[in-house]
């Protein structure tokens, strides 16, 4: 059974009963150096026999309620026929060992209890190889826990993240010194982050020490556009850029330059700001801001492209053309700009809307034209058919039976027909 008393003294309770017929009971004690250890000799089924307590050198500490040993650190806590309880204050390592409980019976009975003394680390120190590291370097940290018993376990943390170190243990004079080594590659994000050395030991709780990392790094540069805030950089308009740089140490040198070309004469540079009051296409190019400190130099680029000035787009127009047969409406288009460079975002949206409306108008015109052609074709067909049927309508006569009206019979009628067979070639038919 494990028992924690006063947050520091740890007792390992073990009831030991020697062979048959013996009725002495005691328990082992684990105590932190400097605390109080309590030794208890108890008797089961007491018969009023005498109880005494002896130290590891078998010197009598207490005989019943009398203390023959002249060590005032031993004090009687309780005495009765069934128990002898003694306290030992300000425990040291020299007090560690076996203590004997004796019961004067026939034969005498004896049992021992063991006192174990824990010694917490006396000092916890972090040594760092370099007080100030440069970004990308690997540094060495050592944490030492001195003079503990038993040996401590050392754990490393960077912020809330646990790291792995390598430990070495030295043993001298029943004490242990543990040193743990940590190799750490640092970056700019580690600047100001605590590195913690924490000790796991049964004699102490939450023992730790820490060192804050100091990391130097080259500048981090950023270029921002102050004007125009949004949209395109157009010819004739101004441009203002601002360069910001952060580093450790803080950058001391900052300058503007134009990549692969000379800086235009009308460009105004004031500290971290660059101003062009009247843009033109000769200003096109890459502008670079450079910043440096004791660690190194960094830069950020801004690519400038000057667009044409904004233009006004005329509204879409409609043209109507009429023929003699079928009226047809043709919707015209307004020519769109050839490139997006001539438009702002709003102009592009308007032109897209006009283009979509024009496409819808063309679709309606095409459908109407097709329908008109079909109707016209049908009308023409009806007119032709009407004239054809009109020419073949009514009664018409021939001269084949002329002179046969008065004939008595058919033969006579044929003979009397005008012209007879001889005139048959001259007979013609006429259409009205």
């Amino acid at each position: 059974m494990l028992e924690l008393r006063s947050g520091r003294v740890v007792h390992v309770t073990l009831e030991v009963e020697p062979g048959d017929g013996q009725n002495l009971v005691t328990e082992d004690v684990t105590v932190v150096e400097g605390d109080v250890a309590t030794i208890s000799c108890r008797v089961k089924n007491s018969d009023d026999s005498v109880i005494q307590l002896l130290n590891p050198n078998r010197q009598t500490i207490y005989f019943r309620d009398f203390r023959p040993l002249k060590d005032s650190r031993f004090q009687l806590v309780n005495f009765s026929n069934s128990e002898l309880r003694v306290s030992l204050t300000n425990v040291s390592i020299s007090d560690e060992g076996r203590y004997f409980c004796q019961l004067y019976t026939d034969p005498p009975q004896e049992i021992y209890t063991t006192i174990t003394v824990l010694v917490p680390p006396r000092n916890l120190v972090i040594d760092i190889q370099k007080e100030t590291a440069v970004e990308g370097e690997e540094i060495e940290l050592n944490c030492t826990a001195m003079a503990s018993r038993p040996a401590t376990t050392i754990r490393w943390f960077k912020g809330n993240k646990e790291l792995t170190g390598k430990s070495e243990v030295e043993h001298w004079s029943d004490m242990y010194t543990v040193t743990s080594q940590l190799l750490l590659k640092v970056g700019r994000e580690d600047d100001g982050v605590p590195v913690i050395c924490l000790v796991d030991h049964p004699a102490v709780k939450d023992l730790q020490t820490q060192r804050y990392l100091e990391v130097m790094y080259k500048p981090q540069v950023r270029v921002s556009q102050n004007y125009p805030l949004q949209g395109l950089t157009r010819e004739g308009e101004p441009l203002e850029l601002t360069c910001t740089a952060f580093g450790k140490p803080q950058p001391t040198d900052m300058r503007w330059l134009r990549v692969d070309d000379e800086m235009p004469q009308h460009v105004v540079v004031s500290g971290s700001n660059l101003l062009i009051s009247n843009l033109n296409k000769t200003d096109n190019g890459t502008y670079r801001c450079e910043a440096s400190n004791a660690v190194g130099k960094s830069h950020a680029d801004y690519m400038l492209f000057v667009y044409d000035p904004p233009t006004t787009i005329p509204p879409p127009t409609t043209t109507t053309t009429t023929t003699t047969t079928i009226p047809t409406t043709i919707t015209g288009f307004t020519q769109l700009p050839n490139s997006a460079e001539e438009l702002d975002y709003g102009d592009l949206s308007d032109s897209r809307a006009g283009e979509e409306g024009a496409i819808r108008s063309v679709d309606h015109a095409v459908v109407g034209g097709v329908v008109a052609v079909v109707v016209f074709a049908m009308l023409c067909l009806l007119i032709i058919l009407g004239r054809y049927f009109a020419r073949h309508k009514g009664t018409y006569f021939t001269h084949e039976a002329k002179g046969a009206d008065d004939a008595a019979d058919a033969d006579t009628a044929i003979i009397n027909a005008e012209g007879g067979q001889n005139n048959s070639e001259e007979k013609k038919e006429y259409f009205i």
Side-chain angles (χ1 to χ4, degrees):
M1 179 179 67
L2 297 179
E3 181 182 1
L4 180 64
R5 297 180 181 176
S6 302
R8 299 185 66 187
V9 181
V10 179
H11 292 264
V12 180
T13 303
L14 177 64
E15 293 189 358
V16 181
E17 296 189 20
D20 297 340
Q22 296 184 4
N23 52 8
L24 271 174
V25 177
T26 188
E27 60 190 18
D28 291 338
V29 178
T30 301
V31 61
V32 176
E33 183 182 33
D35 283 356
V36 179
T38 301
I39 305 170
S40 176
C41 300
R42 298 188 301 276
V43 180
K44 290 184 178 180
N45 304 320
S46 174
D47 58 0
D48 296 332
S49 299
V50 176
I51 306 172
Q52 71 172 353
L53 177 65
L54 289 76
N55 66 13
N57 297 324
R58 304 195 70 87
Q59 297 172 324
T60 301
I61 301 173
Y62 267 93
F63 182 83
R64 298 176 63 89
D65 57 353
F66 174 70
R67 188 186 71 202
L69 187 66
K70 302 303 179 182
D71 189 343
S72 60
R73 294 182 305 144
F74 290 97
Q75 295 293 325
L76 183 65
V77 178
N78 182 47
F79 171 73
S80 66
N81 291 334
S82 59
E83 182 183 30
L84 173 62
R85 188 187 308 169
V86 177
S87 66
L88 172 60
T89 60
N90 194 22
V91 176
S92 65
I93 294 178
S94 61
D95 297 321
E96 195 173 64
R98 290 183 176 180
Y99 290 76
F100 300 91
C101 296
Q102 289 185 345
L103 183 63
Y104 279 89
T105 58
D106 188 17
Q109 300 180 24
E110 182 179 281
I111 192 174
Y112 65 85
T113 177
T114 302
I115 292 182
T116 302
V117 179
L118 303 178
V119 180
R122 300 188 185 279
N123 198 11
L124 188 62
V125 179
I126 293 180
D127 291 324
I128 189 167
Q129 183 183 24
K130 296 180 67 175
E131 294 293 333
T132 302
V134 177
E135 179 183 21
E137 283 187 340
E138 185 177 66
I139 61 174
E140 178 182 331
L141 298 94
N142 291 281
C143 182
T144 303
M146 302 177 61
S148 65
R149 182 175 182 177
T152 61
T153 300
I154 294 179
R155 299 166 63 190
W156 288 98
F157 292 87
K158 185 180 74 172
N160 295 324
K161 181 180 179 181
E162 185 168 1
L163 307 176
T164 302
K166 182 180 179 181
S167 295
E168 293 182 358
V169 180
E170 296 181 8
H171 183 206
W172 54 276
S173 184
D174 296 331
M175 305 294 284
Y176 298 87
T177 295
V178 180
T179 301
S180 180
Q181 181 189 69
L182 176 67
L183 298 177
L184 179 63
K185 187 175 182 179
V186 296
R188 65 180 60 198
E189 67 278 0
D190 296 322
D191 183 49
V193 175
V195 175
I196 302 169
C197 174
L198 184 143
V199 166
D200 283 339
H201 193 274
V204 68
K205 189 175 183 180
D206 297 331
L207 176 61
Q208 65 181 35
T209 186
Q210 65 183 20
R211 290 286 297 270
Y212 287 90
L213 296 174
E214 186 172 354
V215 182
M216 299 177 64
Y217 50 91
K218 62 183 180 180
Q220 184 174 3
V221 186
R222 179 175 176 268
V223 174
S224 58
Q225 180 177 308
N226 296 338
Y227 187 87
L229 296 177
Q230 295 179 351
L232 305 176
T233 49
R234 298 185 178 278
E235 191 172 8
E237 295 182 352
L239 171 68
E240 183 179 356
L241 304 177
T242 297
C243 179
T244 55
F246 302 95
K248 188 171 182 178
Q250 189 64 21
T252 56
D253 184 21
M254 186 180 299
R255 69 189 187 101
W256 283 94
L257 57 91
R258 187 178 182 184
V259 180
D260 298 331
D261 204 346
E262 294 183 358
M263 186 74 77
Q265 294 183 354
H266 59 278
V267 174
V268 178
V269 176
S270 176
S272 61
N273 294 331
L274 182 146
L275 175 64
I276 303 177
S277 58
N278 189 3
L279 288 171
N280 59 67
K281 291 187 178 295
T282 61
D283 297 327
N284 288 341
T286 301
Y287 293 81
R288 174 172 296 175
C289 175
E290 290 184 348
S292 61
N293 61 9
V295 179
K297 180 168 63 175
S298 300
H299 68 268
D301 292 338
Y302 177 86
M303 183 173 292
L304 173 62
F305 185 85
V306 180
Y307 293 87
D308 292 334
T311 56
T312 303
I313 307 301
T317 58
T318 302
T319 303
T320 304
T321 303
T322 306
T323 63
T324 56
T325 56
I326 302 173
T328 304
T329 302
I330 301 175
T331 304
F333 301 94
T334 299
Q335 183 176 1
L336 296 176
N338 293 326
S339 65
E341 300 173 2
E342 300 178 357
L343 295 175
D344 285 329
Y345 179 80
D347 297 334
L348 291 174
S349 300
D350 295 340
S351 63
R352 291 193 190 100
E355 183 180 354
E356 292 175 0
I359 291 173
R360 288 195 294 270
S361 300
V362 170
D363 293 339
H364 296 162
V366 171
V367 173
V370 172
V371 172
V373 170
V374 172
V375 172
F376 177 72
M378 292 179 65
L379 289 175
C380 292
L381 181 61
L382 290 175
I383 291 172
I384 293 172
L385 291 175
R387 291 180 63 85
Y388 174 78
F389 286 117
R391 286 177 177 270
H392 291 74
K393 184 178 180 181
T395 304
Y396 60 91
F397 299 91
T398 64
H399 296 280
E400 293 178 352
K402 187 176 179 179
D405 295 337
D406 297 331
D409 51 32
D411 294 335
T412 304
I414 293 172
I415 295 171
N416 292 336
E418 185 176 350
Q421 296 294 331
N422 297 327
N423 300 327
S424 62
E425 296 178 355
E426 299 178 357
K427 296 178 181 179
K428 298 181 181 180
E429 294 182 355
Y430 296 91
F431 295 93
I432 299 175

